[in-house]
Amino acid sequence: MRVKHPIYEPLLRWARSQPAIRAVVITGSLARADGSVDQYSDLDAQIISRDITSYIADDSWLDGLGKVWIRFPMNDDLPYRLVWFAEGHKVDFQFIALDEIRADLREGRLNEEYQRGYIVALDKDGLYRSMPPSPRSFPPPPEPEAAEILAVINEFWFEAIHVAQFIRRREFWVVKWRDWTMKRNLLRLLEWHAQARGDGQANTWLLGKRINDWADAEALENVKAIWRPWEAEALWRGLLTQMALFRRLSRELCIAREIACDDDRHQEIQGYIRRMKDEDRAEP
């Protein structure tokens, strides 16, 4: 499979010149062959090296690959660099110790990243000859424990009350801040709901990507209505829609998982927020 990315060839030329670097492996969308690649796709590059410290202690080597716009993190000992190069080309560099890869090879296992897809771009020592081929599939996520589901539900309703009160106060920045926590929890519930509905086959891997492919049609229509502008009436509508969607999903998920869910209490909160909205509309 041919990798198309402006930084790919400069990366390989640099890696070939570095004695400590023994292999380069491409993961992410460019290695998955799932039709998701476009002109904005990142290059996810694993750098297999005998020496990680020197590359992260001084990352000036990045400047030899192209014009760097932003690097993250800066001045940090973490074994990765996330970099925006000129013209919006992004590369995620992850440094992995040579011994770590050798341990995987001895056990004959594919880690989760490699199960989704990998391309060996450079292999100076033939390390990857015995690595099993990738099935290019997404391992199903572990089923959430009941306590995790209930914690997500609880936090959603905790923030819903905040959001309603801050709409009344016309503190819209705080509304957006609190609402994002609600949306993070909503996304987790959407993912769990899709997994339960699809017997674990839904690809809900990351950040709501391809949500049109795995969320149910009714949920998708509601999702479109919860992103509201900087205006009280619109924010109220978005909040009510979001609560109704979350409550439906949580009821269905709790029934499917046989979890006792305090829906009566959530209904009370929903009623309180609806009354607050009505009072807001009635005030001059």
Side-chain angles (χ1 to χ4, degrees), residues 97-163:
L98 184 58
D99 289 344
E100 185 178 334
I101 295 299
R102 285 175 172 159
D104 285 349
L105 289 167
R106 282 195 300 271
E107 297 181 19
R109 70 167 185 259
L110 281 178
N111 61 38
E112 189 172 305
E113 189 72 26
Y114 286 5
Q115 288 183 52
R116 291 193 285 263
Y118 73 94
I119 296 171
V120 180
L122 178 67
D123 189 358
K124 296 178 180 178
D125 308 312
L127 281 169
Y128 283 84
R129 287 175 188 160
S130 59
M131 184 71 80
S134 174
R136 290 194 167 87
S137 63
F138 281 72
E143 194 171 77
E145 298 290 336
E148 185 179 6
I149 292 172
L150 291 175
V152 164
I153 293 172
N154 195 60
E155 187 177 34
F156 177 91
W157 291 105
F158 180 86
E159 293 295 6
I161 300 169
H162 268 141
V163 166

Side-chain angles (χ1 to χ4, degrees), residues 113-267:
E113 189 72 26
Y114 286 5
Q115 288 183 52
R116 291 193 285 263
Y118 73 94
I119 296 171
V120 180
L122 178 67
D123 189 358
K124 296 178 180 178
D125 308 312
L127 281 169
Y128 283 84
R129 287 175 188 160
S130 59
M131 184 71 80
S134 174
R136 290 194 167 87
S137 63
F138 281 72
E143 194 171 77
E145 298 290 336
E148 185 179 6
I149 292 172
L150 291 175
V152 164
I153 293 172
N154 195 60
E155 187 177 34
F156 177 91
W157 291 105
F158 180 86
E159 293 295 6
I161 300 169
H162 268 141
V163 166
Q165 291 183 351
F166 280 107
I167 294 175
R168 285 298 309 270
R169 291 171 174 166
R170 301 301 188 259
E171 294 280 5
F172 293 159
W173 186 283
V174 185
V175 168
K176 296 290 188 179
W177 179 272
R178 295 287 186 178
D179 178 63
W180 185 244
T181 300
M182 294 179 66
K183 284 182 168 59
R184 285 205 323 268
N185 286 315
L186 175 60
L187 176 59
R188 295 182 74 185
L189 207 69
L190 282 162
E191 292 169 346
W192 292 336
H193 183 268
Q195 291 291 337
R197 185 171 48 88
D199 298 322
Q201 299 304 307
N203 178 4
T204 60
W205 174 49
L206 183 67
L207 299 176
K209 286 186 175 182
R210 298 191 169 188
I211 193 171
N212 291 342
D213 296 338
W214 51 260
D216 71 43
E218 183 181 347
L220 281 175
E221 286 305 309
N222 286 318
V223 164
K224 294 174 187 176
I226 66 177
W227 301 91
R228 310 307 299 182
W230 192 273
E231 186 269 319
E233 182 61 29
L235 289 169
W236 280 123
R237 289 197 302 270
L239 175 59
L240 295 178
T241 300
Q242 186 169 201
M243 290 190 303
L245 170 60
F246 190 92
R247 195 164 157 227
R248 175 179 74 84
L249 295 176
S250 61
R251 283 200 306 266
E252 292 177 4
L253 182 61
C254 287
I255 290 170
R257 292 290 310 279
E258 299 181 346
I259 299 170
C261 179
D262 195 352
D263 186 58
D264 289 344
R265 182 164 48 89
H266 305 151
Q267 186 175 18

Side-chain angles (χ1 to χ4, degrees), residues 14-15 17-25 45-56 61 79 94-102 114 122-125 127-128:
W14 169 76
S17 73
Q18 301 294 305
I21 294 176
R22 307 315 301 165
V24 175
V25 178
Q46 294 186 350
I47 313 297
I48 317 304
S49 179
R50 291 191 298 238
D51 172 25
I52 293 176
T53 304
S54 64
Y55 294 108
I56 59 177
W61 52 270
Q94 179 188 10
F95 285 89
I96 299 177
L98 184 58
D99 289 344
E100 185 178 334
I101 295 299
R102 285 175 172 159
Y114 286 5
L122 178 67
D123 189 358
K124 296 178 180 178
D125 308 312
L127 281 169
Y128 283 84

